[in-house]
Amino acid sequence: MTGLQRAPHTLQPPSMPLPDGLSAVLDALPAGVAWLHELRVQYCNATFAGMLGHAVQDLLGLSSRAWHADDTLWAGVERRCAAALLAGQVFEEALTLQRQDGSALRCHARVRPLHAGRPEAGTVWLLTEASQPTDRSDALQQQVQALQEQVAQYAENAARARRQADIDELTNLPNRMLLARDAAQAIAQAQAGHKPLAVLYLDLDRFKYVNDSLGHRVGDQLLVALAQRLRSAVRERDLVARVGGDEFMLVLPDTDVHGAAHVADKLMVRTAPVYDIAQRELSITSSIGIAIYPQDGEDFDMLTQRADAAVHQAKRTGGSVYRFFTPAMQNEAVRALAMENALRRALERQQFSLAFQPMVDLRSGQVTGVEALLRWRHPELGNVSPAEFIPLAEACGLIGTLGEWALRNAAFQLKAWRDRGLPALTMAVNLSAMQLQQSELPALIDSVLHEAGLTPRDLELELTEGAAMQDPQRAIAVLQALHQRGVRVSIDDFGTGHSSLSYLKRLQADKLKIDQSFVRDIGVDADDRAIVAAIIHMASSLGLQTIAEGVETEAQLRFLRQQGCDEAQGYLFSRPLSAAQLEAFVRDLQQP
Ligand code: C2E
Ligand code: MG
Ligand code: MG
């Protein structure tokens, strides 16, 4: 036979020998039976091999292409077969195949999926010689159909057995082998989506002591109970496996340093309460080592090794703690957790305040508005920068409450100034990307304005370019709702993102805030001068206002004026001020 294509690397002989009885029955059958996967023979009976003039062993792993003289015609057969199976039908056709010696074999083929509805999982082929009388072949078909079902059952059992070999018998968790396979897949997905992933290695502290003093049966029961607690502490898509006597591993997709620290904390808390086992109250602690993809390693082996190293570090410090592989990550996680706990209490403890920075009209020199900037003062942590706590508030779901607090307080402050006779100002409030995701945002703004007795024109919302780009469709919809109410929107830190002009138009923004990084170097960097000039001219041609932030020098101001920038904000005019200071600042300017 020509074109015998054997591909040893894809050769997959049946992973379990057929049970003796079944194998003998199939071999005695006067019809050829074969099981194919990805068009290669996984199993065939003696009759099948005999019809094609082969020995059974020679057919295993062979591509079905080899049975036909003409590759193109055979590709057509394969296509028709696949189409029939996908449509849920049995594929039946009279075929002329080619024996090993080159002679033609006229036969009738009948093909069914190994598993109903899943032809990709494999197919069962039945060949009968065309010369056989039809009535005999009908009886045969019935017989063979029964056998086909038996083969399918066998394949399913084999698959189940394979799965069971990957499951830890005691805890029913995956073992290290299965974890390695699933983790490789999770890492590939993390890589494709540019997402982090955490690998946690959990080792029980002094488990040997339980085993030695109370016996293995008690130890086993403890492991089972612990495994259940671990599994129920994490998300469905997280992987949990038992990888050694008292060692467990977790693989957490889409989890960074901060998230991993949280899970480690949670695992410690969840596994700590006493276990009622054999009329005893047992307690056990664990040590956890953490490695993060991609910083600590790019494949499962490396990440495992590093999480393992980290767990040893944890043990050395006495156990019952978690440790990151990298010291920098350890510090980051500790500070972030401390800060998060503090942040959760900061609102009720009234540690937040607002500072107000004037925005100055460059033609009239008047203060036209102020930007409200959040300030957090913690007794131990000191003054924490919003650049640090805002992202944290976003990560731990506090930004909604915090943002609402800032909005409401800013609105009421504006009303208070107005009642005290200060000239009309607009209040600019920063919005985080996450607030933009909240469908109730426009309604919230309505009610805050109403409560404070303000109109939409009194408020201006600042949104960073990045926030608007995260979910552009959603941003457009929300901004449209705000625009219809008459609330103005400015794009903050403009120039640091990648917004297109057409996108800016669709956002219906009113103002661009030129990012301070460009303003800073106006005096020294010709590129920055060109960028700032271009932003101002582009904005004006689109009918958008411009405001420059971070203006610190007269030279910067002069350049911005020359280019026709509308407004400016920065230390040159004033640092962010308390409410009382701002009031004094504005009144001073009013004096002739
Ligand atoms: P931003 O909205 O771009 O605010 C401007 C930042 O530049 C403020 O920093 C302000 O103090 C600072 N700044 C103003 N003039 C100058 C200057 O002349 N030179 C220099 N070097 N800096 C100047 P701050 O207050 O630390 O706020 C940082 C960021 O935190 C803000 O950037 C804003 O994105 C965010 N943020 C502040 N308050 C809130 C809030 O209530 N909600 C939300 N979502 N974000 C806020
Ligand atoms: Mg801002
Ligand atoms: Mg800004």
Side-chain angles (χ1 to χ4, degrees), residues 338-555:
M339 194 172 285
E340 181 183 329
N341 285 330
L343 196 58
R344 287 187 188 284
R345 287 177 184 80
L347 258 186
E348 70 200 45
R349 296 194 177 156
Q350 303 182 335
Q351 292 166 351
F352 289 111
S353 62
L354 288 176
F356 305 93
Q357 191 175 34
M359 302 190 287
V360 176
D361 182 302
L362 292 188
R363 271 170 283 271
S364 68
Q366 296 290 307
V367 176
T368 52
V370 297
E371 176 176 8
L373 293 161
L374 260 173
R375 294 290 173 260
W376 177 26
R377 188 182 175 79
H378 184 268
E380 278 108 50
L381 298 166
N383 288 322
V384 186
S385 156
E388 189 169 13
F389 72 76
I390 296 282
L392 192 60
E394 286 177 339
C396 63
L398 288 170
I399 192 68
T401 333
L402 189 53
E404 184 175 338
W405 184 91
L407 178 69
R408 184 165 273 117
N409 279 267
F412 277 89
Q413 183 58 58
L414 184 64
K415 183 64 167 55
W417 283 328
R418 190 165 293 177
D419 291 345
R420 293 165 58 81
L422 220 62
L425 298 172
T426 53
M427 177 62 80
V429 178
N430 291 284
L431 273 193
S432 114
M434 286 199 156
Q435 287 173 277
L436 204 61
Q437 303 304 312
Q438 296 169 334
S439 52
E440 60 275 20
L441 181 71
L444 171 71
I445 288 168
D446 283 344
S447 79
V448 168
L449 288 174
H450 179 76
E451 285 166 42
L454 298 176
T455 70
R457 301 305 289 175
D458 297 323
L459 186 66
E460 199 172 284
L461 295 172
E462 295 193 3
L463 199 72
T464 61
E465 237 185 316
M469 294 295 277
Q470 257 178 32
D471 184 350
Q473 285 328 105
R474 173 131 209 121
I476 289 168
V478 173
L479 293 190
Q480 197 147 35
L482 296 174
H483 189 77
Q484 274 162 6
R485 286 165 167 75
V487 175
R488 278 172 296 183
V489 170
S490 54
I491 305 297
D492 206 347
D493 303 347
F494 186 77
T496 56
H498 307 277
S499 330
S500 67
L501 286 183
S502 62
Y503 180 60
L504 283 179
K505 264 196 129 118
R506 281 165 59 210
L507 279 181
Q508 305 199 339
D510 303 271
K511 203 191 263 188
L512 298 186
K513 273 193 108 159
I514 304 167
D515 190 63
Q516 42 181 286
S517 59
F518 301 111
V519 176
R520 192 185 311 130
D521 294 336
I522 280 176
V524 288
D525 189 332
D527 283 348
D528 283 348
R529 273 198 298 278
I531 290 171
V532 170
I535 293 176
I536 294 170
H537 298 142
M538 171 203 87
S540 99
S541 71
L542 283 173
L544 293 168
Q545 302 264 101
T546 41
I547 175 166
E549 56 181 17
V551 179
E552 295 184 355
T553 68
E554 290 290 348

Side-chain angles (χ1 to χ4, degrees), residues 255-272:
T255 303
D256 60 7
V257 175
H258 190 221
H262 258 278
V263 174
D265 237 17
K266 187 170 174 191
L267 294 176
M268 300 223 170
V269 169
R270 287 283 182 90
T271 53

Side-chain angles (χ1 to χ4, degrees), residues 232-247:
S232 66
V234 293
R235 303 165 302 182
E236 187 85 38
R237 65 198 181 108
D238 295 329
L239 308 174
V240 183
R242 181 175 176 219
V243 296
D246 64 343
E247 292 166 24

Side-chain angles (χ1 to χ4, degrees), residues 187-188 191 292-303:
I187 291 170
Q191 184 179 20
I292 302 284
Y293 168 88
Q295 296 94 319
D296 291 336
E298 303 222 326
D299 60 38
F300 182 63
D301 280 348
M302 182 55 86
L303 290 164

Side-chain angles (χ1 to χ4, degrees), residues 201-203 205 264-265 268 285-290 310-324 330:
Y201 209 118
L202 183 145
D203 192 323
D205 299 326
D265 237 17
M268 300 223 170
T285 60
S286 47
S287 304
I288 299 177
I290 308 171
V311 89
H312 281 98
Q313 186 73 33
K315 292 255 173 204
R316 267 199 291 280
T317 58
S320 195
V321 289
Y322 65 83
R323 276 274 169 272
F324 282 85
Q330 180 70 18

